[in-house]
Structure formats: C-alpha cells, structure tokens
Amino acid sequence: MDLTKAATRPAGAPAAEAHIRASDADRDRIAAILREALAEGRLDPEEHAERIDTVYRAKTLGELEPVVRDLPAAGGRPQPGAGAAATASGAGAPPPDQNLVAIFSAASRKGRWHVPARINAVAIFGSVEIDLTEAVFPQQQVEITVTSLFGSVEIRVPENVTLRSSGSGILGAFEIDTHEAEDGDAPQIQVNGYAVLGSVEARPKRGALISDLRDRMWENHRELRRQLRDEHRERHREWHERLRLERQERRDRFRGRFDGGR
C-alpha cells in the first residue's frame, strides 16, 4: 500500500473523483459558497480573495474540495458535472464565454450587455476594447484572459468594482490599476495573461458606477450622516445640561454664602 499517496489524498474524495477535471460550473458553485461565507463573516476579505484565486486556478475536483472543507455550506465534495444540468435549463443559464479576437483588425464589446464569467481577448497586430462600465454582472466573479502580440487590449470598468491582475509584459506593457471595492458584494474582475511587444491596459472609468452599488453607497453615506447628526445633537444636549447644572451649583453656593453672612 502506498501510504504517501493515501496521506495526500483529499479527505472524503475518492481517488477516481479527486482527479476528475473541474468544470466552470464546479468552480462557480464553490465561488458561491465562498461568497456566502464572506457575507456571514466566516471569512475575512483577504482569506476570501486567496481562496477565490485558488478556485479559479484549480484543475481538478480534488483541488476544489479543500477550499470549502471547513465551511458549513460545503455539504459534500464537488460532484462532476453537478452544475451542467442547471446551466442547461435555459432561463437561468449564465451567459456563455465571450471571445474577442482581433488579427490585423479591431474588436470591441461595449454598451449594455451581460458579462459572462470568462472573457478571452486576443490581439495580434490588432486592438481589442472591452467596456464594462454599462454592463450587467449576473455573477460576482469575472475572469478576463488576454493575449497581446504586437497588439493592444484596453479594458474599462466601473469605479466601484474590484479589479485585480496576475499578468505580465514581455517587452511590452501590462498595466492594471488594481482596486478593492468598499462593497463586499461588488463584482470582482481578474485580468490574467501577457503582452509580448504589445500592451494591455485596464483601469476604472472616472464617473462610471454600477447603479445599485452606487445607490447603496449613497444610502450608507446618508445613514452615516444621520448617525453623526444624532450624536452631535446628543453631545450638544449633554453639554447644555452640564452647563445648566454648573450654573445652578454656583447660584446655590452664592446664596449659601449670602444667607450665612446675614
């Protein structure tokens, strides 16, 4: 018996299933469990970001299981093809992957559109433009994989989303203005890939906000202002009450001295 292999095998995952290739639906389901754990306070934002990164790099079901093993929502191990039937149902199916290819040409995606979980952009002696500032995000996690060979890829996102990167430039520029959104429910956009003698650029577009997050942000600001105003009024009332008592005490002392001198 090979004890080394048995020790490294994920608990509860049979060897045959542990080595099955994970599907996009499997990764999205595990990401949903992590998102729920973040909302419940079981994970802090840093732990959530690390685990999400592991999820979308996972190749097999055996790599996915440890990510949610200590979370109550994990239930059981990821099942091969568990999300396939759900995504094939039609109405609730997520948008398919978006591929933008520009070879000695230009390709763009902009305006009001439903962003899929994965976008692949290839620019070879061409240019690709991806504008997410007016887009709808059916899911929180969006991965954009870019390849720029003597070309350019330009990505614009709303200001109130999370933007991360793990790409590189080889005799080229790979410039991502990384940003962490204040709202934990904001979309998270991960830009991966490389630029060879080309350029990749991703940054927020000034003034562009996802409306529901913007409304929630303003509501939070209004609530904070209300709290500060109430605290100010309470402090002002306490100050006046303290001042009144001090004045009353001084009057009482003065009257005591006056009455005692007669």
Side-chain angles (χ1 to χ4, degrees), residues 5 20 26 38 47 83 85 92 117 122 130 139 169 229 255 258:
K5 291 184 178 180
I20 291 178
D26 293 325
L38 176 64
E47 290 174 320
V122 178
I130 302 173
Q139 65 285 313
R229 184 171 61 250
R255 288 173 181 171
F258 180 77

Side-chain angles (χ1 to χ4, degrees), residues 89-221:
S89 59
D97 292 0
Q98 177 80 57
N99 297 311
L100 296 170
V101 180
I103 302 176
F104 289 97
S105 61
S108 67
R109 194 69 169 89
K110 61 178 67 177
R112 189 75 170 176
W113 60 296
H114 284 72
V115 181
R118 295 176 183 274
I119 301 175
N120 302 305
V122 178
I124 302 176
F125 290 98
S127 64
V128 174
E129 178 185 5
I130 302 173
D131 190 340
L132 304 177
T133 57
E134 299 180 18
V136 176
F137 292 84
Q139 65 285 313
Q140 186 180 31
Q141 303 293 333
V142 176
E143 180 178 356
I144 303 178
T145 302
V146 297
T147 301
S148 176
L149 302 176
F150 295 92
S152 66
V153 177
E154 181 179 344
I155 303 168
R156 290 289 178 267
V157 304
E159 286 187 310
N160 54 345
V161 303
T162 291
L163 181 60
R164 302 190 182 112
S165 169
S166 63
S168 60
I170 304 172
L171 298 179
F174 199 99
E175 301 176 351
I176 311 297
D177 288 353
T178 57
H179 172 71
E180 292 291 327
E182 295 181 4
D183 193 322
D185 294 329
Q188 299 176 6
I189 301 170
Q190 176 79 31
V191 181
N192 305 318
Y194 58 88
V196 179
L197 293 171
S199 66
V200 174
E201 177 186 285
R203 62 188 55 182
K205 183 176 180 180
R206 187 178 299 276
L209 300 171
I210 298 179
S211 59
D212 58 336
L213 296 180
R214 179 194 60 203
D215 295 342
R216 193 184 313 163
M217 178 184 68
W218 282 114
E219 179 58 33
N220 291 339
H221 286 174

